[in-house]
Amino acid sequence: MTYSFHINGHPVEIGSAAMTGLLEVLRDELGLRGAKPGCGEGRCGACTVLVDDVPVASCLYPVALAQSRHVRTVEGLAAPDGPLTPVQDALLEHGGVQCGACIPGVVMTLTALLERTLRPTPDQICDALVGNLCRCTGYHKIVEAAVAVGRGEER
Amino acid sequence: MTSAAPTSTAAPEVRAVSSLEEASQVLAELGPDGAALAGGTWIMRRPLRSEPWHRVYVPVAGLPGLRELDVRPTSSQAQLGAGLTHTELVAELADGTSVPAALAGLAAAARLSAFPQVRNVATLGGNIAAARVGFRQADLVPALLAAGARLQLGYPDGRADRPVADFLGEAGRPAGEILAGVAVPTPPDRFAGFGRLTVRGAGEYAVVNVAVSVDVDPDGTVRSARVAVGALEPVPRLIPEAAAVLVGRPLDGTSAREAGSAAAAAVDARDDRLAPGWYRRAVLPALLERACAQATSTTGPAWTATDEGEPR
Ligand SMILES: Cc1cc2nc3c(=O)[nH]c(=O)nc-3n(C[C@H](O)[C@H](O)[C@H](O)COP(=O)(O)OP(=O)(O)OC[C@H]3O[C@@H](n4cnc5c(N)ncnc54)[C@H](O)[C@@H]3O)c2cc1C
Ligand code: FES
Ligand code: FES
């Protein structure tokens, strides 16, 4: 059985076993190592990707359920030599990135939030980030970065 | 779905079907080798719980009928498909103005559960069904119990309606039984609330969760009440001793705390990694006060808190 879906706009066919986590497929079959294996149980958000524009924990997402859907990962946001997205720029400018382990997940969560909510409040940003653990930054800089993107300071 | 131990150690298969009837038939034939698959957020952690996979999973959340949603202020009941995600429930139920007050507890439970990345995927049906197989902290379940919800179940040879408590309480379910949806009564004089306590400020499983719904006479007297508690015993359940305390008087902080004490006396709270049993019982009165305050907060009768602190 193969599963067909889109990754970052490109169609893919995956022959992995049906209940393989999407995270494993992304990293091991497709070489997309942006999403990180953190806890492996839905608690840390390091593996966050968007499925049909909605953040999901890819470690718990069976590849079989991705059939016919559109998956977006951090690799799809900016080309290797292209400009970063406003969210990525803002995180760098506001000091929201330290070790970086959580950042691909944070970027995907914030990207989805800012696509739905043009000017999110700090409360809305914190609510959106509840599932993204960061052991370094203390979150304030990340929230400031997202507020700045909402204000259009990063476009 | 079945309670018998699955047998397979090989990589599990996912078998797509196109209707609820077909899913029931396939699962009935598979018996202990098969299980329904919804968002997968419970099933995918089977290896972490040292549970073997079933041989075959049948995706059900997207089947026709399972994504139905009908919440009208004028209707006497709300219809919620078992395939709706927690996020979809919040989006549809949390708009306080046009949504019946009887649904406020369920909306709060869906909003406060888990994390966005999980709420976007985990389903109403998966939450209820997981509560039968070890997930005693399932937040939607106490809210559904207190709301007097009825489950709509599909079988290979037809359908049946059951109260939530029956579904949770009976050991062993017939293979091929699928949760299709939930009907929640929404009488205009019913008010509902929900409270939970977690070790961190947000996310995480509840140390205790509690839901209440009350039917209130025009003079403010509670005519009937239901209180349900989760996370303490192996399966969430209604606590009639607590509900009885609320009846025949106005709902306020004092009656809520007394009901909470009655609930604490009635439950068999287990110790676990997160908290000892005595602690869970000790916080119940305050949590029930919060849930009752929420029940009255929008359209309900005026609220008088206890002196022990304004509920949040
Ligand atoms: C880190 C983390 C934290 C969480 N925190 C919370 C929390 O605080 N509160 C909370 O309420 N939830 C929480 N959850 C979600 C919860 O643990 C369950 O994972 C979720 O409710 C299951 O829903 P699902 O749709 O993913 O079900 P699945 O994993 O697909 O299935 C769960 C069970 O239900 C059965 N099933 C599913 N759908 C049906 C159906 N329609 N008919 C019959 N059987 C069915 C399956 O066979 C299986 O036994 C959390 C999850 C994670 C990963
Ligand atoms: S690795 Fe998926 S949530 Fe932690
Ligand atoms: S930057 Fe290190 S975990 Fe977030």
Side-chain angles (χ1 to χ4, degrees):
Chain A
M1 182 81 198
T2 61
Y3 297 100
S4 321
F5 48 100
H6 281 75
I7 302 245
N8 299 328
H10 304 291
V12 291
E13 293 225 340
I14 299 296
S16 307
M19 294 296 277
T20 311
L22 180 58
L23 177 66
E24 193 179 319
V25 171
L26 292 173
R27 293 178 61 87
D28 298 349
E29 301 296 319
L30 297 164
L32 299 171
R33 303 270 164 85
K36 298 283 180 286
C39 64
E41 52 173 310
R43 287 182 184 278
C44 75
C47 67
T48 303
V49 303
L50 308 189
V51 174
D52 292 344
D53 303 329
V54 166
V56 311
S58 64
C59 63
L60 294 185
Y61 198 88
V63 66
L65 294 186
Q67 173 68 29
S68 304
R69 296 183 187 266
H70 288 260
V71 177
R72 287 155 69 193
T73 70
V74 72
E75 289 88 348
L77 295 181
D81 49 355
L84 297 176
T85 65
V87 169
Q88 291 170 316
D89 269 335
L91 282 168
L92 286 174
E93 268 167 40
H94 289 259
V97 181
Q98 289 188 24
C99 82
C102 69
I103 295 299
V106 166
V107 167
M108 295 320 285
T109 296
L110 292 179
T111 298
L113 173 68
L114 284 148
E115 284 174 357
R116 281 192 316 274
T117 312
L118 274 184
R119 289 169 174 270
T121 63
D123 277 354
Q124 286 173 315
I125 295 163
C126 290
D127 280 351
L129 285 172
V130 161
N132 291 89
L133 299 188
C134 175
R135 305 193 68 176
C136 306
T137 66
Y139 303 101
H140 288 286
K141 306 283 182 196
I142 293 176
V143 175
E144 283 169 21
V147 169
V149 178
R151 286 208 202 101
E153 289 164 18
E154 306 294 334
R155 279 169 217 204
Chain B
M1 198 177 70
T2 174
S3 61
T7 47
S8 172
T9 50
E13 176 193 332
V14 169
R15 200 175 295 171
V17 297
S18 54
S19 70
L20 180 62
E21 292 68 30
E22 191 188 349
S24 281
Q25 281 155 13
V26 169
L27 287 171
E29 276 163 30
L30 285 165
D33 284 343
L37 169 66
T41 63
W42 182 260
I43 291 175
M44 288 294 278
R45 291 180 288 155
R46 287 188 75 92
L48 297 170
R49 297 187 298 265
S50 304
E51 295 168 356
W53 295 108
H54 293 82
R55 190 163 59 77
V56 180
Y57 290 96
V58 177
V60 295
L63 294 176
L66 269 77
R67 301 198 34 81
E68 208 177 301
L69 183 128
D70 185 358
V71 186
R72 272 173 298 179
T74 49
S75 158
S76 62
Q77 67 172 29
Q79 173 63 36
L80 307 171
L84 296 170
T85 64
H86 292 225
T87 300
E88 288 168 331
L89 290 176
V90 176
E92 299 296 336
L93 306 184
D95 161 17
T97 51
S98 61
V99 173
L103 299 174
L106 183 59
R111 182 169 52 80
L112 296 170
S113 65
F115 310 95
Q117 289 91 328
V118 172
R119 291 199 293 268
N120 287 340
V121 174
T123 62
L124 174 60
N127 202 253
I128 301 166
R132 278 189 49 83
V133 292
F135 186 29
R136 63 181 190 282
Q137 300 91 342
D139 284 303
L140 305 185
V141 176
L144 292 167
L145 283 165
R150 289 183 73 84
L151 303 181
Q152 296 148 344
L153 301 160
Y155 300 93
D157 54 355
R159 303 240 180 157
D161 258 34
R162 309 290 302 279
V164 181
D166 288 8
F167 175 82
L168 295 173
E170 288 163 14
R173 306 297 310 172
E177 179 182 72
I178 295 175
L179 269 159
V182 179
V184 188
T186 54
D189 54 0
R190 181 167 295 179
F191 303 94
F194 176 83
R196 80 200 282 269
L197 183 71
T198 50
V199 173
R200 285 202 306 151
E204 300 292 338
Y205 285 172
V207 167
V208 186
N209 51 19
V210 57
V212 62
S213 99
V214 289
D215 300 314
V216 181
D217 283 338
D219 69 357
T221 306
V222 173
R223 189 170 64 248
S224 63
R226 290 147 302 275
V227 173
V229 173
L232 302 180
E233 298 181 352
V235 179
R237 69 172 173 98
L238 286 163
I239 313 285
E241 296 89 337
V245 173
L246 297 176
V247 173
R249 59 202 280 200
L251 186 65
D252 58 20
T254 307
S255 68
R257 290 255 173 181
E258 284 175 27
S261 300
V267 294
D268 178 13
R270 311 282 166 92
D271 299 343
D272 76 8
R273 262 186 312 147
L274 281 180
W278 67 262
Y279 176 82
R280 296 163 191 268
R281 280 200 305 276
V283 298
L284 244 178
L287 274 183
L288 187 55
E289 183 176 1
R290 286 183 197 171
C292 290
Q294 189 208 345
T296 61
S297 65
T298 41
T299 36
W303 174 255
T304 319
T306 58
D307 296 337
E308 288 163 70
E310 283 292 313
R312 280 190 301 164

